[in-house]
Amino acid sequence: MSEQWTFYFEPDKCIGCHACSVACDVQNDRVDDDNWRELRHEPTGSFPDYEETAVSTACFHCGDAPCEKVCPTGAITKRDSDGIVTVDQDKCIGCHYCGWACPYGAPTYDPDNDGKMSKCHLCLGEGEGDGHGKPPREKPEEGGNTPNCVDNCVTDALHAGPVSEMMELASEAAVKRFVNGSRRALVEPVEPDSGGD
Ligand code: SF4
Ligand code: SF4
Ligand code: SF4
């Protein structure tokens, strides 16, 4: 596999505007369906010291994907080219196993699509292996775009790219947090072939 692609999200920059999830809905025709990208508001403390942190999440394209392991039809594959986990719509029988196996609830049920499951394909997965029949979207280094959620993030809180580049961004952000006295200054090392953001 060439290098695994992944998302990197910076909660300190996120203002909870939902532009990322709306951009995903528009790009992937999901305005009337369950979101592939979710904007969650995680609460901490209680009144009067109550705070919420906005967290933007989608499929993490796991290195060792539990959804792929349980799929009885081989509809879910992790692409050799970039590690993107795709659901082949031609093979999916809508059994829900992937949705139950995923610890993040990323696969969504599509009642208008013969009850099949679908999820984020990083906008780069529209090609071989996902059954959508669209031509592959080019990667940025080939003149293409980054995923639509990243393109439309208004504060540059959301990024996508090879794991090594995302780790560089995460390390730089951790240094800034350390210098600014924030307690969230740790960056965990990742295995070279692991997914996640
Ligand atoms: S986050 Fe869920 S749907 Fe995505 S690869 Fe991992 S187990 Fe599969
Ligand atoms: S719902 Fe579809 S993709 Fe998910 S486990 Fe069943 S056949 Fe595989
Ligand atoms: S578009 Fe960016 S700033 Fe707005 S909710 Fe999404 S990640 Fe946060």
Side-chain angles (χ1 to χ4, degrees):
M1 184 199 300
S2 59
E3 195 171 2
Q4 165 84 51
W5 271 56
T6 191
F7 287 113
Y8 169 50
F9 169 68
E10 296 185 78
D12 294 353
K13 288 186 181 173
C14 179
I15 57 173
C17 66
H18 288 252
C20 51
S21 56
V22 171
C24 174
D25 289 350
V26 171
Q27 168 76 19
N28 298 295
D29 301 327
R30 303 203 58 78
V31 174
D32 297 323
D33 297 302
D34 287 345
N35 293 344
W36 284 355
R37 175 162 288 283
E38 290 279 355
L39 206 279
R40 298 174 187 170
H41 297 269
E42 299 294 338
T44 48
S46 55
F47 182 83
D49 298 315
Y50 177 80
E51 279 183 30
E52 282 188 355
T53 302
V55 183
S56 179
T57 62
C59 171
F60 287 91
H61 302 278
C62 303
D64 194 15
C67 58
E68 182 184 24
K69 285 194 172 71
V70 300
C71 179
T73 66
I76 299 188
T77 49
K78 185 168 180 65
R79 301 197 324 180
D80 281 343
S81 53
D82 45 28
I84 294 173
V85 175
T86 62
V87 181
D88 188 330
Q89 300 292 290
D90 297 333
K91 292 182 181 170
C92 176
I93 56 173
C95 67
H96 282 243
Y97 286 2
C98 55
W100 293 324
C102 173
Y104 312 107
T108 59
Y109 178 65
D110 290 348
D112 297 332
N113 184 24
D114 295 333
K116 298 183 178 188
M117 301 294 269
S118 68
K119 62 170 193 62
C120 160
H121 46 41
L122 241 153
C123 289
L124 301 167
E126 296 174 353
E128 185 183 358
D130 77 349
H132 290 176
K134 296 180 184 174
R137 195 174 179 196
E138 291 181 328
K139 293 179 180 177
E141 62 267 30
E142 296 162 339
N145 296 317
T146 45
N148 215 35
C149 55
V150 173
D151 291 345
N152 284 279
C153 175
V154 295
T155 63
D156 205 23
L158 202 54
H159 313 265
V163 165
S164 60
E165 288 179 23
M166 296 301 100
M167 285 303 292
E168 260 180 52
L169 287 178
S171 299
E172 287 164 12
V175 169
K176 281 183 193 157
R177 289 198 300 274
F178 181 73
V179 169
N180 292 334
S182 166
R183 56 196 163 85
R184 288 192 298 186
L186 186 66
V187 175
E188 297 286 349
V190 295
E191 295 300 321
D193 65 344
S194 68
D197 61 352

